[in-house]
Amino acid sequence: MDIKELRQKSQAELKSHLLDLQKEQFSLRMQKVTGQLAKTHDVRRVRREIARVKMLLGTAGQ
């Protein structure tokens, strides 16, 4: 998701999106361990999106 789209979300929506991303990250890690991960670039994409959401949540209160 683009940073512009993330900035338009409320804090509650960002927290919900963060939870979904963390679940996806866990799933991708399990696939990697078991050798079932076909799209290795997804790990990097999810990790970066988690960082974006956390950055927005940290600055949302200021």
Side-chain angles (χ1 to χ4, degrees), residues 22-50:
Q22 288 172 336
K23 288 179 183 178
E24 184 179 356
Q25 184 182 36
F26 179 78
S27 174
L28 289 171
R29 282 191 311 209
M30 291 300 111
Q31 289 177 24
K32 184 178 179 182
V33 169
T34 59
Q36 298 173 351
L37 184 62
K39 299 179 183 177
T40 57
H41 64 277
D42 281 343
V43 175
R44 184 176 181 183
R45 177 190 55 81
V46 170
R47 189 177 70 237
R48 286 181 176 206
E49 192 164 345
I50 287 173

